[in-house]
Amino acid sequence: MAILECKDLSKRFGSVDALTDVSFAVEPGRIVGLLGPNGSGKTTLIKLVNGLLTPTSGQVLIDGEAPGKRSHSLVSYLPDRNCLPQWMTAGQLLDFYRDFYPDFREDAAREMLSRLEIPEKRRMKQLSKGTREKVQLILVMSRAARLYLLDEPIGGVDPATRDYILQTIIGNYNPEASVILSTHLIADVEKVLDDVLFIHQGHIMLRTSVDQIREEKGMSVDQLFREVFKC
Amino acid sequence: MQWQFSNDAPIYAQLIRGIQIRIVAGIFPTGERLPSVRDLAAEAGVNPNTMQRALSELEREGLLYSARTTGRYVTDDVKLVNSLKRRLAEGRIGAFLQDMRELGFESEELLDILRQELEKEE
C-alpha cells in the first residue's frame, strides 16, 4: 500500500489557488523530489500532507488515514524554517525529541552531531544559521519514521554539508520508508532521487523517474527543469 | 576510483559501466563478495534503488551472482571478465581513433606517435 496518497487535492488561500487537483501516490522505499520554482506550491503541499493545513477540497491519506495523531507518529517533518526553541542546547533538544518520539534514535543523532562537529552544550541561538539548520535536520532524520517530509533540507548549508546530508538520506534508506524532499537545487539531489514531481503554479506538470528523463530526453533533470521553467 | 556521472545518460547505466570497470580493474576482484547495496549506493552517492537496478542488470549479464544468504559476488568466470575487458577497451580505442582521425592522423603516423609516447612513459 502507498505510504502517501493525495487525491484531487486543492488548497485556496482567499482568491489564490495555491494547489489545484493534485493527485499522486508514493510507495514505500521511494525517494521523491518535489521540484518547482519559488511559489509553485511545494511548501503548501508538504504542509497539507503534514496536517498543518487543511485542504479546500480533496484528500490526503498517510498509510490509509487522514493526517492526525497517528500520521504524526509516522511522519518526520522538516519545516522550511527553524522552529526549535532557541534557548535550548543541541543536547537538550535530543532529550526533547526522545521524550516526544518513541522512534527517536538518540545514538544516531549523537553520532551525526559529532560528525558535523556541533557542540552539544551550545545553545541554538549561539549557533550560525546553517548550523541551526543542520541540528534540525539531524533531529528529523534521527527518527525511524515511515515518511520523511523535508522542505528544502539543503538550501541553507554549504556544499560539503549538503553532500553529508544527502549521504545521510541514502545511508538512512529503508525499504519500508519514503522520503519526499522539496528543493530547487536539483543538480545536487538528482542522483539521490527515484522519482520527481515537477510542480508549477499549483499543478503537477510532470511525474516521472530520474532515469526515465535521462533516457528519453538525453538530459539531466536539472537541465530539463531549466528548460521547462525558463524565465 | 571516483564515481562520476554525466548528464546525458541514465544513472543506472552509468553505474553498470562503473561497476564493470571496477571488476575489470580488479577493484572488485573475481569470485569475491561485493559490498552491500547500501554501501555501494553511499559510496557512489546514488539512490539505493538505482544501485539495485544496476546490480540486477549485471546479474542478468552473468557478471555478478547472488548467494542466497551471504550476498552478492563477482563471477569467477575469468573468461567472461576478460571478454568484458576487451569490449571496454575496444570502446575506448574506437573513441580515441575517432579523435585522432579528427586531428588528421593516418594509421602509420598514429602508430609512430603512440610508440614514442609509450617509450616516454617508460
Side-chain angles (χ1 to χ4, degrees):
Chain A
M1 190 169 75
I3 179 74
L4 168 64
E5 204 178 350
C6 295
K7 293 183 191 167
D8 305 317
L9 195 61
S10 297
K11 179 68 184 177
R12 193 174 302 134
F13 295 110
S15 61
V16 179
D17 288 313
L19 279 184
T20 313
D21 289 334
V22 167
S23 296
F24 67 94
V26 176
E27 301 296 324
R30 308 297 281 182
I31 304 177
V32 180
L34 190 57
L35 313 177
N38 300 114
S40 54
K42 302 187 293 283
T43 295
T44 301
L45 179 54
I46 285 178
K47 284 184 173 172
L48 283 166
V49 171
N50 200 35
L52 285 174
L53 293 172
T54 52
T56 306
S57 63
Q59 225 182 353
V60 176
L61 295 174
I62 293 154
D63 201 29
E65 289 179 28
K69 216 170 176 182
R70 178 157 176 274
S71 82
H72 292 318
S73 71
L74 303 177
V75 175
S76 192
Y77 167 57
L78 179 80
D80 63 340
R81 65 196 63 184
N82 207 290
C83 59
L84 298 170
Q86 296 301 300
W87 54 267
M88 278 184 148
T89 66
Q92 287 170 327
L93 283 164
L94 293 190
D95 297 339
F96 189 57
Y97 258 66
R98 192 191 50 220
D99 290 346
F100 256 97
Y101 299 108
D103 63 358
F104 187 66
R105 297 168 304 166
E106 199 178 340
D107 297 347
R110 205 146 257 145
E111 195 195 310
M112 285 190 256
L113 282 177
S114 80
R115 182 77 181 270
L116 292 178
E117 297 175 347
I118 300 170
E120 283 189 31
K121 292 205 163 71
R122 197 76 62 77
R123 291 179 197 281
M124 287 294 274
K125 66 179 170 208
Q126 295 169 308
L127 300 172
S128 72
K129 182 164 175 282
T131 307
R132 285 200 293 267
E133 280 183 32
K134 289 179 204 170
V135 172
Q136 181 153 288
L137 187 85
I138 287 170
L139 293 171
V140 168
M141 290 311 294
S142 296
R143 285 186 54 200
R146 293 281 310 284
L147 178 63
Y148 298 88
L149 291 176
L150 312 177
D151 200 350
E152 284 290 355
I154 57 170
V157 298
D158 62 81
T161 306
R162 212 170 280 172
D163 284 346
Y164 177 76
I165 288 169
L166 294 174
Q167 286 288 337
T168 305
I169 291 173
I170 296 170
N172 195 40
Y173 178 82
N174 164 3
E176 300 297 311
S178 298
V179 180
I180 297 177
L181 62 95
S182 83
T183 188
H184 42 246
L185 295 168
I186 301 170
D188 288 311
V189 298
E190 182 160 351
K191 288 182 296 164
V192 171
L193 303 177
D194 289 294
D195 304 310
V196 293
L197 284 169
F198 274 24
I199 181 167
H200 184 46
Q201 296 180 347
H203 296 265
I204 302 257
M205 56 181 295
L206 180 69
R207 150 124 230 217
T208 183
S209 77
V210 170
D211 271 348
Q212 202 154 351
I213 289 177
R214 286 166 165 259
E215 210 146 12
E216 285 170 7
K217 314 257 181 197
M219 61 169 88
S220 66
V221 178
D222 186 57
Q223 288 168 325
L224 180 67
F225 185 92
R226 286 167 199 262
E227 196 175 292
V228 169
F229 294 111
K230 198 166 181 191
C231 300
Chain B
M1 197 181 279
Q2 279 278 356
W3 290 89
Q4 271 166 353
F5 299 91
S6 69
N7 281 333
D8 51 0
I11 291 159
Y12 86 92
Q14 299 185 54
L15 288 172
I16 288 174
R17 176 52 56 89
I19 295 165
Q20 285 176 335
I21 290 170
R22 283 164 176 77
I23 290 172
V24 163
I27 295 170
F28 298 148
T30 48
E32 302 248 330
R33 197 157 81 100
L34 215 58
S36 69
V37 176
R38 187 192 294 253
D39 289 347
L40 282 172
E43 194 201 306
V46 300
N47 183 297
N49 294 317
T50 311
M51 181 57 82
Q52 178 65 47
R53 183 177 174 195
L55 296 177
S56 303
E57 189 68 35
L58 288 164
E59 263 180 44
R60 274 200 302 140
E61 282 179 21
L63 213 53
L64 302 177
Y65 67 95
S66 279
R68 195 172 304 163
T69 51
T70 50
R72 205 178 256 107
Y73 292 79
V74 180
T75 180
D76 40 26
D77 184 347
V78 177
K79 253 172 140 177
L80 184 69
V81 174
N82 282 337
S83 79
L84 171 68
K85 184 173 184 172
R86 173 92 200 188
R87 220 172 67 221
L88 291 176
E90 282 167 2
R92 290 191 178 190
I93 291 169
F96 167 72
L97 288 179
Q98 212 175 340
D99 284 352
M100 296 311 282
R101 303 252 184 261
E102 216 175 273
L103 294 177
F105 276 86
E106 301 292 338
S107 299
E108 277 308 312
E109 204 185 350
L110 181 58
L111 281 172
D112 276 347
I113 191 174
L114 261 180
R115 228 174 264 125
Q116 285 166 25
E117 288 301 312
L118 282 171
E119 273 165 21
K120 255 196 244 166
E121 244 185 37
E122 284 157 12

